[in-house]
Amino acid sequence: RLDISVDSAKTLVRTMRRLQDRPDLQGLLAEGSVSFDRVEALSRIPEDVGLMEWADVAGVRREASHRVRVTAEDEYRSARDQFMVMQPNLDESWWRFWGGLDGPSGSLMDKVLSEAADQLPDLPDDMATDAGWKRAMALVETLTSDEPPPANVTVIVDSRHATGTNGKAGVYLEAGPNVGREALQGILCDADTQVLARSEDGRFMDYGRRQRTAPPALKRALIHAAHGQCQADGCTSRRRLQIHHLVPWVEGGETNQTGLVVLCWFHHQVVVHQRGFRIYFHHERRVRFRRPGHPPDRQRPS
C-alpha cells in the first residue's frame, strides 16, 4: 500500500519495533522535527544519548555500530542469511552480482580486495580508473590461481558469420557465450584448445592443436629468462605470471622463446586482452604498450 521496496519496509518495521521503548523519539518523528534517518540510527543505540546533533547521520550510524549489542542469535542469523546471486544478461557477455555477508566475512573481503587493488599497477599512459573498477579487477585476479588447471576449450567458428564480421560474430564456446576476438585470444593464451570451423555447407573442419600453449619446461625457461617477474616496463609483479603470444596463435604465432612473453595477470588479461593495447619491445626483454589504433611496431627481441 505504501508503494515502497521490501528493504525500505523492513527498515520501517525494525525501527518502529525499536521505538516501542523510546516515546521521546516517537514524538519527535511524528512532529517532523527530526529526520527518519537520524531516528533510525539513534534507535540502534540501546541507551538514551539524546539527538547527537553534533554529528551527521553517518556519524550517528558509526556511533551506533560501536554501541549495538550483538547476541549469539544475531550472529547465527547473519551467518545463516549470507548469500550471493550472480545474474548474466541474455548472451552472458555481462554479469551482475549482489549479496550479503556477515561482519567478519565482509570485513575480510573488503580488506583482501582493497589490498589487492592497491597492488595493481596503473594502466599504460596513466588512463584513469576508479576504485570500483580496480576492486573488480582485484576480485578476478584473486580468483585466478597461480597454477590454473589445464583447460580443454572447444571454440566453434561459424564461417558464414565470422568471415563477414572479421570475427565479431559467429565465434562461440561449446558450452558458453559468444566471444569477441580479444576475449578469444585471452582464452587461447592459456588453455589446450580445439578449434572447430563450420564451413558454408554447415560441416565442421577440425583444426585441433595441442602444442599451442607453452609446455611446462618452456614456461619455466621463459619465466627464468624474465628474472621471475612480469616483463612489462615498470612492473615487478611475481604473482600469477602467464605466457602471452606476441603474434596470436590463431594468426600464425609460434610457441617458441622468441614468440612468447611473460606477463602478470593484470597486464596480460586487462591491458592486452580487455583494453586492446599492443606490445612492443623497448629494451632487451622488457615491453611497453601502445594504445589501440597506433601504427604497429614490428620490432622483435633478438
Side-chain angles (χ1 to χ4, degrees), residues 2-21:
L2 294 178
D3 193 29
I4 59 177
S5 68
V6 174
D7 288 339
S8 297
K10 288 181 177 179
T11 301
L12 284 170
V13 172
R14 281 196 299 263
T15 303
M16 293 306 106
R17 285 175 176 168
R18 295 190 196 118
L19 292 183
Q20 289 178 357
D21 299 327

Side-chain angles (χ1 to χ4, degrees), residues 204-281:
F204 281 107
M205 298 178 292
D206 192 340
Y207 295 100
R209 290 191 287 179
R210 302 290 296 179
Q211 288 301 309
R212 185 204 49 70
T213 57
L218 177 57
K219 183 175 181 179
R220 288 194 296 268
L222 290 169
I223 293 176
H224 176 75
H227 307 292
Q229 66 183 37
C230 176
Q231 290 181 240
D233 194 25
C235 182
T236 58
S237 177
R238 298 178 179 271
R239 301 174 65 243
R240 297 181 174 87
L241 299 177
Q242 300 179 349
I243 306 301
H244 172 69
H245 281 81
L246 292 168
V247 177
W249 174 258
V250 295
E251 297 179 9
E254 298 181 0
T255 305
N256 54 40
Q257 189 164 359
T258 59
L260 302 171
V261 65
V262 178
L263 297 174
C264 66
W265 174 89
F266 180 85
H267 282 111
H268 183 204
Q269 297 296 337
V270 177
V271 174
V272 175
H273 290 302
Q274 292 184 18
R275 295 293 181 117
F277 279 77
R278 290 199 306 274
I279 293 175
Y280 70 96
F281 284 89

